[in-house]
Amino acid sequence: MAEASDRRVRITLQYDGSGFHGWQVQPGVRTVQQELEAALARLTQRELRVAAAGRTDTGVHARGQVVSVDVPARWEPAELERALNAVLPGDVWIASVEAAPGDFHARFSATWRAYEYRVGTVADAFGPFHRRTCWPLRDALDRSLLDRCAERLVGEHSFRAFAKAGQEERGDRCEVYRAAWSDWSAVGLVFGIRANRFLHHMVRYLVGTMVDVGRGRRPFDDMDALLRNEPEVTTSPPAPPEGLFLTAVGYDDAVGGTRGGTQDE
Amino acid sequence: MAEASDRRVRITLQYDGSGFHGWQVQPGVRTVQQELEAALARLTQRELRVAAAGRTDTGVHARGQVVSVDVPARWEPAELERALNAVLPGDVWIASVEAAPGDFHARFSATWRAYEYRVGTVADAFGPFHRRTCWPLRDALDRSLLDRCAERLVGEHSFRAFAKAGQEERGDRCEVYRAAWSDWSAVGLVFGIRANRFLHHMVRYLVGTMVDVGRGRRPFDDMDALLRNEPEVTTSPPAPPEGLFLTAVGYDDAVGGTRGGTQDE
């Protein structure tokens, strides 16, 4: 589909995942990739395929999803950004379109990804302004236990216990550069995590398990046991998708992209 | 419709105005009052009429709307709160149901109302997580000019110039107890105003005019001229409804309700 006169661009976008069956094109359902490719086709009169840094699941949001695509060279990045925002539906928004090197690939060039997970701890979290973008909880959470859980995640570990079964064909080790809970304005708490790669559903399994430790339903030591893959210990159910945001993707721009691919939340 | 065995309750609710043609029941369109009365009818098997503190317009939100209604006495307030939230759609949420004196009226007992108006000043304000709940602007705003405009509003004034024409049958004087701009997290600014009463569209005309002063499109002195009802000076267009929230309604609970009614944004 690429032509000699094309230019590669890096598109950074946001979407509210509430109205989508995730990122990836699937027949018969509305997805973000399908909306973006339809907008590109409408503007360029070409069938263009985009590659995304992370394939978010149904209901998961993005504030910093990155895609790469080759577009006809007559489309200047700034012009394409304005035109895409004019034709895309309101729940998808292009933050930027930038020129990219010919070997840039949104998925394979990425060196890290960052996610946030919001937990609502006040009654308002159940209200109309937060319910689609957080996991509202009625239980009190022990912040110091949550902090200890997060600290335990930093470094390189096998996260096999925190992944959807049978999805680890590229190995189960991830290097976590940052994992921490912080305040989410007056509404609750937010867990932020940055790593070289993520296994499928990993952030949601981590949050589901940490929250159960934080509300006293299971001991802190379970976190250690899970990271050691002790077979008799299993995670809590995954936290619901509404609270999860893909917030940023990192690239080593000086080098261009040759890093291995990842499986993403 | 009220029966001897009824109890009066005060309901505090939130709604995302995006999907509603305002508060008040109108034939053929979806309104918040209609959804609430339908939920009450479904639970109580009676046609109940609710009275609201403020009749919000199409697209306007509420974080603290208050309504009064007589419900069958067998409905305990806490039970009614849970049951309403179980049957209401996701964009309406009951924050509380409380027993109220028989002379409590959500509109006529109110002694003040408070609104907030959010202005987005960063690019993200155009994105999917903010566009329905703020007015995103591309212009730089002079915060000190905005602050001077807000200070000018405190006290009792005629706000006729800031009202939709022909809506002032109960007079045009309002006493503003508080008016101030503050930071809205990292996204922009929020204007908060509390007054004994509001004229129709008053907050939106105030914000539209203050923003034009703040971005240098008209002089600060216009605020004075408008508050003096100088006929040759007119307001800027009203700010769009998406940025406006009815945030709280005040009652002098010790006395019960005899204060005069108001016209509301």
Side-chain angles (χ1 to χ4, degrees):
Chain A
M1 285 171 288
E3 296 180 10
S5 61
D6 285 354
R7 72 162 86 218
R8 186 154 299 180
V9 294
R10 179 203 293 198
I11 301 177
T12 304
L13 70 158
Q14 300 191 345
Y15 46 85
D16 177 340
S18 312
F20 293 104
H21 287 258
W23 166 263
Q24 197 159 19
V25 166
Q26 296 175 64
V29 296
R30 183 172 185 251
T31 72
V32 184
Q33 183 187 5
Q34 166 225 313
E35 289 284 0
L36 180 59
E37 291 182 349
L40 286 164
R42 184 171 157 194
L43 294 173
T44 65
Q45 306 295 316
R46 292 247 309 272
E47 296 289 325
L48 304 177
R49 283 287 164 272
V50 303
R55 294 183 306 257
T56 52
D57 287 329
T58 297
V60 174
H61 315 290
R63 290 206 307 272
Q65 173 72 285
V66 177
V67 307
S68 50
V69 59
D70 292 319
V71 299
R74 67 190 148 79
W75 283 91
E76 292 292 334
E79 182 197 9
L80 184 61
E81 179 183 324
R82 283 189 297 272
L84 281 171
N85 277 327
V87 300
L88 281 166
D91 48 1
V92 184
W93 178 71
I94 306 297
S96 68
V97 178
E98 297 160 283
D103 65 347
F104 173 78
H105 188 283
R107 183 175 176 199
F108 299 118
S109 305
T111 55
W112 55 261
R113 287 146 179 93
Y115 289 88
E116 278 185 9
Y117 194 98
R118 289 181 183 169
V119 172
T121 57
V122 298
D124 269 22
F126 290 89
F129 303 107
H130 300 302
R131 72 184 174 87
R132 296 186 313 164
T133 51
C134 78
W135 180 20
L137 293 174
R138 298 190 187 279
D139 312 277
L141 293 173
D142 182 324
R143 174 69 184 270
S144 66
L145 277 173
L146 292 177
D147 290 343
R148 284 176 63 201
C149 288
E151 282 161 25
R152 184 65 186 78
L153 302 176
V154 176
E156 190 182 317
H157 308 280
S158 162
F159 284 91
R160 189 184 351 143
F162 296 98
K164 207 168 154 179
Q167 302 278 328
E168 309 89 29
E169 66 268 20
R170 290 190 200 84
D172 53 31
R173 296 193 76 77
C174 307
E175 189 174 359
V176 174
Y177 306 122
R178 178 184 175 273
W181 288 88
S182 51
D183 291 332
W184 168 36
S185 65
V187 187
L189 298 171
V190 58
F191 172 66
I193 183 167
R194 187 156 66 85
N196 65 332
R197 61 194 290 265
F198 289 85
L199 309 183
H200 200 53
H201 288 191
M202 176 172 143
V203 182
R204 292 170 53 198
Y205 278 111
L206 286 170
V207 171
T209 305
M210 285 191 286
V211 162
D212 272 357
V213 172
R215 59 185 169 185
R217 291 193 186 168
R218 58 187 306 165
F220 170 75
D221 291 346
D222 280 3
M223 289 297 290
D224 276 316
L226 288 162
L227 288 171
R228 284 194 305 264
N229 289 315
E230 289 185 8
E232 70 275 20
V233 183
T234 56
T235 68
S236 299
E242 303 86 59
L244 185 61
F245 294 74
L246 171 57
T247 53
V249 185
Y251 298 95
D252 184 353
D253 286 299
V255 177
T258 53
R259 296 285 290 249
T262 64
Q263 285 176 286
D264 307 306
E265 189 70 17
Chain B
M1 284 171 287
E3 296 180 11
S5 61
D6 284 354
R7 72 162 86 219
R8 187 154 299 180
V9 294
R10 181 203 291 198
I11 301 176
T12 304
L13 69 158
Q14 301 191 345
Y15 45 86
D16 176 340
S18 311
F20 293 104
H21 287 258
W23 167 263
Q24 198 160 20
V25 165
Q26 296 174 64
V29 296
R30 182 172 186 252
T31 72
V32 185
Q33 184 187 5
Q34 165 225 311
E35 289 285 1
L36 180 57
E37 291 182 348
L40 286 164
R42 182 170 159 196
L43 295 173
T44 66
Q45 306 294 315
R46 291 248 307 272
E47 295 290 323
L48 303 177
R49 282 289 163 271
V50 303
R55 295 184 304 258
T56 51
D57 287 328
T58 297
V60 175
H61 315 288
R63 290 206 307 271
Q65 172 74 285
V66 177
V67 307
S68 50
V69 59
D70 292 319
V71 299
R74 68 189 146 81
W75 282 91
E76 292 292 334
E79 183 197 8
L80 184 60
E81 178 184 323
R82 283 190 297 272
L84 281 171
N85 277 328
V87 300
L88 281 167
D91 48 1
V92 184
W93 178 72
I94 306 296
S96 68
V97 179
E98 298 161 283
D103 66 347
F104 174 78
H105 189 283
R107 183 175 175 199
F108 299 119
S109 305
T111 55
W112 54 262
R113 287 150 180 90
Y115 289 89
E116 278 184 10
Y117 194 99
R118 289 182 184 169
V119 172
T121 57
V122 299
D124 269 21
F126 290 89
F129 303 107
H130 300 302
R131 71 185 176 86
R132 296 186 315 164
T133 52
C134 79
W135 179 19
L137 293 173
R138 297 190 188 279
D139 313 277
L141 293 172
D142 183 324
R143 174 70 184 270
S144 65
L145 278 173
L146 292 177
D147 290 343
R148 283 177 63 201
C149 288
E151 283 161 23
R152 184 66 186 77
L153 301 177
V154 176
E156 189 182 317
H157 308 280
S158 161
F159 283 91
R160 191 184 346 145
F162 295 99
K164 207 167 157 181
Q167 302 276 329
E168 309 90 28
E169 67 266 20
R170 291 190 198 83
D172 54 30
R173 296 194 76 77
C174 307
E175 188 172 359
V176 174
Y177 305 121
R178 178 184 176 273
W181 289 87
S182 50
D183 291 331
W184 168 36
S185 64
V187 187
L189 297 171
V190 58
F191 172 67
I193 183 167
R194 188 157 65 85
N196 65 333
R197 61 195 290 265
F198 289 85
L199 309 182
H200 200 55
H201 288 192
M202 177 171 142
V203 182
R204 292 170 53 199
Y205 278 112
L206 286 170
V207 170
T209 305
M210 285 190 287
V211 161
D212 272 358
V213 172
R215 59 186 168 185
R217 291 193 186 170
R218 58 187 307 164
F220 170 74
D221 291 346
D222 280 3
M223 290 297 291
D224 277 315
L226 288 161
L227 288 171
R228 285 193 306 262
N229 288 315
E230 290 184 9
E232 70 277 18
V233 183
T234 55
T235 68
S236 298
E242 302 87 58
L244 185 62
F245 294 74
L246 171 58
T247 53
V249 185
Y251 298 94
D252 184 353
D253 287 298
V255 177
T258 52
R259 294 286 290 250
T262 63
Q263 285 176 284
D264 306 306
E265 188 72 15

